[in-house]
Amino acid sequence: MAFNRRQFTQAAAALAAAGATPLVFAADTIKIGYVSPQTGPLAPFGEADKWVIDQMKTAFKDGISVGGKKYDVQIVLKDSQSNPNRAGEVANDLILKDKVALVLTAGTPETANPVSDACELNEVPCISSVVPWQPWFFGRKGDPAKGFNWTYHMFWGLEDVIANYTDGWKTLQTNKKVGGLFPNDGDGNAWGDKELGFPKPLSQMGFSLTDPGRFQNGTQDFSAQIAAFKKEGVEIVTGVVIPPDAKTFLTQARQQGFKPKVITLGKALLFPGAIEALGDLGDGLSTEVWWSPSHPFTSSLTKQSARALADAYESGAKKQWTQPIGFAHALFEVAADALSRAKSQKASDVRDAVAATSINSVVGPVKWGGAGPFKNVSKTPLVLGQWGKGKKYKYELTIVSDEAAKNIPVGGALRPMPG
């Protein structure tokens, strides 16, 4: 006889009222924690998370079998507020108060690193993404010989972003003079690092880099950087900045008569909302593309193609697709796959299952222990995109270079900035 939840509750209440002891046979619950920036300057990275989590509630509606036992799945979302200290605090809450079996996290080093550190310290398995692997690994003082015991990461690296940016730049006529905007944060310090970041490979390829030094996020005046770029005759601007800083820089560059041929920025130019907020300054800006509807991958969990997932988001959320959708979805793909293979819900068993992951996800293949530079890193593919006036939306992103990932189709060629 099939009981639904309401009938079970009514029956239990009737038994209790009759003085009998009800038999409790509801399924146990396994909890998955998720930490991302829902508010603050990094909020665009977490914009799609609630939609993805709603999608996962449907995917997990029948529960999940772990070690031969059926569990209901509860997803607990926490907001890092774009603050590293807050990210660490909510990760500890998930581990110590909510007793989650697994933590997922995404959205720049300022969120993913402190969350990963809390999990490593408390010996709880964690899967992170949306941070280039160098600031995630080396930013956490990772030892290449040892790696980490509890924390696993899936994303591309600085070598991939450098290859994509320069592949694009080489297709245009420029003087190869590059201006760098590298803030004083986890990403900026990694991108501007003389050994790990842009300076060394750029010089090896014949580009000269003008780096005016680190600045604080939220800077209101980029006159010094613009003056340095003008003095050196810079025709290409690159860097990794938060969306408000990109708007400040681009507005002031135009006011001060600085018109580079190419502007390729990480982080700030990923999101349609940020590009729209720039008005006519948005046309021609280029950025890395980690996921798009034209990526030739399919979800192992829902069997949706990248295109179908983006379409579902646009019709459900009533917003233009955004790159983090793919990775938020893929984190849950990996979580579902690992939990279903784990011998039990014990932390060490879940961790061992995560480490043994080998799946084809909506962001590409995910496999640890061989497919990346270290045992804790699985690399995903990267291409270059450019924003232009759109048909369906004000601005749309076109893939313009796939030199680093030939299985992802291009939709056009990189063009110089207008004007």
Side-chain angles (χ1 to χ4, degrees):
M1 182 172 142
F3 262 38
N4 66 29
R5 194 177 292 272
R6 188 169 57 84
Q7 288 167 323
F8 171 73
T9 309
Q10 287 169 342
L15 279 167
T21 307
L23 296 167
V24 177
F25 49 84
D28 289 333
T29 299
I30 199 160
K31 293 181 183 177
I32 301 172
Y34 192 100
V35 184
S36 65
Q38 298 293 306
T39 56
L42 301 174
F45 282 94
E47 181 187 352
D49 291 342
K50 285 178 178 160
W51 181 86
V52 170
I53 287 169
D54 279 343
Q55 187 194 30
M56 289 305 137
K57 285 174 184 168
T58 304
F60 292 131
K61 71 179 189 304
D62 295 326
I64 194 166
S65 287
V66 183
K69 186 178 175 184
K70 196 70 169 276
Y71 291 89
D72 283 340
V73 178
Q74 185 184 348
I75 299 164
V76 187
L77 175 65
K78 298 280 188 183
D79 179 11
S80 72
Q81 299 173 0
S82 303
N83 180 310
N85 295 330
R86 176 70 183 170
E89 283 169 22
V90 296
N92 281 320
D93 285 347
L94 286 172
I95 295 162
L96 303 172
K97 292 181 185 168
D98 294 299
K99 309 283 189 205
V100 296
L102 175 64
V103 175
L104 309 176
T105 184
T108 81
E110 279 62 51
T111 290
N113 286 17
V115 172
S116 298
D117 286 343
C119 291
E120 193 73 25
L121 191 65
N122 287 289
E123 301 188 342
V124 169
C126 175
I127 308 163
S128 54
S129 190
V130 191
V131 182
W133 67 259
Q134 288 92 338
W136 178 84
F137 190 88
F138 294 115
R140 298 174 54 221
K141 310 283 190 288
D143 179 346
K146 293 180 188 167
F148 297 105
N149 292 322
W150 294 90
T151 48
Y152 289 80
H153 191 68
M154 46 189 260
F155 211 50
W156 41 266
L158 296 181
E159 69 280 16
D160 304 303
V161 86
I162 292 164
N164 274 285
Y165 284 16
T166 54
D167 283 336
W169 300 342
K170 287 171 191 169
T171 65
L172 296 177
Q173 281 291 112
T174 70
N175 59 10
K176 291 196 151 187
K177 292 186 175 180
V178 181
L181 292 172
F182 305 122
N184 184 23
D185 64 11
D187 276 329
N189 290 324
W191 289 47
D193 187 277
K194 285 186 168 51
E195 288 302 312
L196 293 174
F198 273 71
K200 196 172 176 179
L202 285 188
S203 111
Q204 288 167 345
M205 288 184 226
F207 291 92
S208 63
L209 177 67
T210 299
D211 179 357
R214 306 295 156 264
F215 57 90
Q216 295 306 315
N217 286 319
T219 293
Q220 297 300 306
D221 185 2
F222 282 94
S223 301
Q225 288 86 347
I226 293 164
F229 296 164
K230 284 168 85 170
K231 180 170 175 252
E232 296 300 327
V234 161
E235 290 188 348
I236 302 168
V237 172
T238 195
V240 56
V241 297
I242 59 175
D245 290 359
K247 186 170 188 181
T248 305
F249 170 79
L250 292 164
T251 305
Q252 292 175 359
R254 177 168 289 190
Q255 288 166 347
Q256 293 169 35
F258 174 54
K259 289 190 170 179
K261 290 183 179 177
V262 190
I263 300 176
T264 313
L265 294 173
K267 200 185 258 185
L269 309 183
L270 297 167
F271 312 106
I275 300 297
E276 276 193 30
L278 293 170
D280 62 348
L281 293 170
D283 186 28
L285 298 171
S286 43
T287 191
E288 73 273 9
V289 181
W290 6 297
W291 183 80
S292 79
S294 50
H295 276 50
F297 307 123
T298 300
S299 166
S300 61
L301 188 60
T302 63
K303 310 305 178 209
Q304 288 166 295
S305 65
R307 169 79 54 194
L309 183 62
D311 288 348
Y313 177 78
E314 289 191 341
S315 63
K318 303 289 184 278
K319 286 181 184 171
Q320 192 171 354
W321 69 270
T322 180
Q323 294 193 42
I325 299 165
F327 279 85
H329 182 101
L331 283 170
F332 284 103
E333 283 186 71
V334 176
D337 173 72
L339 288 169
S340 69
R341 287 183 291 101
K343 288 177 184 167
S344 79
Q345 65 161 342
K346 262 176 51 186
S348 56
D349 285 341
V350 175
R351 184 271 317 270
D352 292 349
V354 169
T357 295
S358 179
I359 65 167
N360 290 316
S361 79
V362 81
V363 299
V366 179
K367 181 179 182 177
W368 284 288
F374 305 122
K375 69 171 189 177
N376 303 85
V377 175
S378 176
K379 280 189 28 164
T380 55
L382 190 68
V383 289
L384 182 70
Q386 185 170 36
W387 292 97
K389 300 278 169 59
K391 293 173 186 162
K392 184 177 177 185
Y393 296 99
K394 187 175 178 186
Y395 287 107
E396 291 174 358
L397 188 60
T398 301
I399 294 171
V400 292
S401 174
D402 65 353
E403 286 296 314
K406 283 293 193 184
N407 58 333
I408 298 166
V410 295
L414 185 68
R415 55 194 168 85
M417 291 291 296

